Amino acid sequence: MEFGVVLQTNPPAQRTVQLAQLSEAHGFDYLWTFDSHLLWQEPYVIYSQILDRTARIKVGPMVTNPATRDWTVTASVFATLNEMYGNRTVCGIGRGDSAVRVTNGKPSTLKEVREATHVIRELANCRAVDYKGTSLQFPWARTSSLEVWVAAYGPLALKAAGEVGDGFILQLADVDIAAWMIEAVRTAASNAGRDPMALTFCVAAPMYVGDDVAHQRDQCRWFGGMVGNHVADIVAKYGDTAAVPQALTDYIKNRQGYDYNEHGRAGNTHTDFVPDEIIDRFCLLGPAEAHIAKLEQLKAIGCDQFAGYLQHDQKEETLRVYGETIIPALRDHVTARS
């Protein structure tokens, strides 16, 4: 199993760079960031600094979308970073949440996600692609290689992830829900004639190591609100009888709106509707042993990477325990079983 860290690009940017360096020092493989250009600083500028000051870690957005940037611009950013620093980027993409909603926009259609995934991947892999009726290719790109991983929750989005993604990003760590969604993506890939085992499966959720679980829940309750935005879209489209696990839809019945100015922030004032049970199911909390146990379960159902959100008040300590105890335990287990 590989490991990632998910950060917001709050100022000062140097803090993000320092946390990326610390993440690499503790053995993490990926450094992901939110991608909402109004709420936080521009991540792609910061990626250049991270790549310049690290040697191994890969960077990418969790997640970008087809609406806020021209697809060729997005591809050019990744190809440029890869040409400069080696192939150390990955593109997470979805329909769009905070990046589009704060400008009174709407999430992209799945058709747009599919098309953007294709255009970005082809261009950033130094290949020609048809875009708006014209064949385009970067004449300067020689060595760039990029995977595009699709973030999804709903049935049609899961189908798209399996059909066009190099990987699948699931932003919650409930083992039962993750197993159901990973299987749905694998089935879609297989039905499309793709190798379902060739996709990378990434589960992303808050990670907080410590003994005061009540405090950890309060620090991570924002995550249930964030996931609730996507679940609300699913319920609006499919109704309460949607073909998704009931545990994913029941908890949003008391949801009463969302303020994106507090998006992803510990102490979020409008996520009281999220019960403790959901936080425990969606996140990784408690002492190191609890993290290891849940990560073993996630690995057993096909999770290739766990990416931990780090929006709380014990960032360095959580990174330290992961680096000294949790990551070695999972990697030792992998070695012992191979």
Side-chain angles (χ1 to χ4, degrees), residues 73-212:
V73 173
T74 300
S76 181
V77 169
F78 285 110
T80 300
L81 291 172
N82 284 337
E83 296 283 330
M84 290 176 67
Y85 298 106
N87 292 311
R88 294 171 53 202
T89 68
V90 61
C91 178
I93 192 168
R95 295 181 60 213
D97 183 32
S98 59
V100 295
R101 296 186 198 269
V102 294
T103 58
N104 292 321
K106 294 182 179 180
S108 303
T109 65
L110 287 174
K111 181 176 183 291
E112 290 169 332
V113 172
R114 290 171 179 271
E115 293 174 350
T117 296
H118 176 68
V119 169
I120 293 168
R121 179 168 49 217
E122 293 305 293
L123 287 174
N125 281 280
C126 309
R127 297 190 290 262
V129 68
D130 181 79
Y131 181 66
K132 297 182 179 179
T134 302
S135 180
L136 300 178
Q137 186 170 6
F138 296 139
W140 43 266
R142 296 289 185 270
T143 61
S144 175
S145 177
L146 178 75
E147 290 191 349
V148 183
W149 299 3
V150 177
Y153 290 105
L156 292 179
L158 294 169
K159 184 173 183 288
E163 291 175 347
V164 304
D166 296 305
F168 164 53
I169 296 173
L170 172 59
Q171 291 162 298
L172 59 84
D174 181 283
V175 176
D176 293 335
I177 294 173
W180 183 87
M181 291 191 173
I182 288 173
E183 183 59 29
V185 172
R186 282 180 172 160
T187 299
S190 180
N191 290 342
R194 307 180 72 201
D195 179 0
M197 304 309 294
L199 276 69
T200 300
F201 292 92
C202 174
V203 168
M207 58 179 181
Y208 192 145
V209 180
D211 296 320
D212 189 348

Side-chain angles (χ1 to χ4, degrees), residues 2-51:
E2 292 188 307
F3 290 85
V5 173
V6 189
L7 301 175
Q8 292 172 337
T9 52
N10 291 308
Q14 184 58 34
R15 170 67 168 157
T16 304
V17 176
Q18 289 172 345
L19 286 170
Q21 292 175 297
L22 188 60
S23 298
E24 180 176 83
H26 283 306
F28 286 86
D29 307 286
Y30 286 77
L31 192 288
W32 303 89
T33 71
F34 286 56
D35 181 13
S36 293
H37 56 288
L38 286 173
L39 297 179
W40 303 287
Q41 293 181 322
E42 176 60 34
Y44 299 98
V45 177
I46 299 173
Y47 292 164
S48 189
Q49 288 289 303
I50 292 171
L51 291 169

Side-chain angles (χ1 to χ4, degrees), residues 299-316:
K299 179 181 176 296
I301 63 170
C303 175
D304 300 301
Q305 179 186 151
F306 171 69
Y309 286 87
L310 212 59
Q311 283 69 56
H312 55 67
D313 56 7
Q314 289 294 328
K315 295 178 176 63
E316 284 84 356

Side-chain angles (χ1 to χ4, degrees), residues 271-298:
T271 55
D272 290 343
F273 72 93
V274 181
D276 289 349
E277 177 191 1
I278 288 294
I279 303 306
D280 293 344
R281 293 183 65 168
F282 284 12
C283 304
L284 271 72
L285 309 177
E289 294 77 13
H291 289 245
I292 292 170
K294 191 165 188 177
L295 288 166
E296 287 281 15
Q297 290 180 292
L298 290 169

Side-chain angles (χ1 to χ4, degrees), residues 211-245:
D211 296 320
D212 189 348
V213 176
H215 176 71
Q216 293 173 7
R217 287 173 180 148
D218 288 341
Q219 287 279 296
C220 297
R221 201 171 302 276
W222 63 268
F223 186 69
M226 186 186 82
V227 173
N229 292 332
H230 301 287
V231 175
D233 286 343
I234 295 171
V235 172
K237 182 176 179 64
Y238 298 99
D240 290 335
T241 59
V244 295

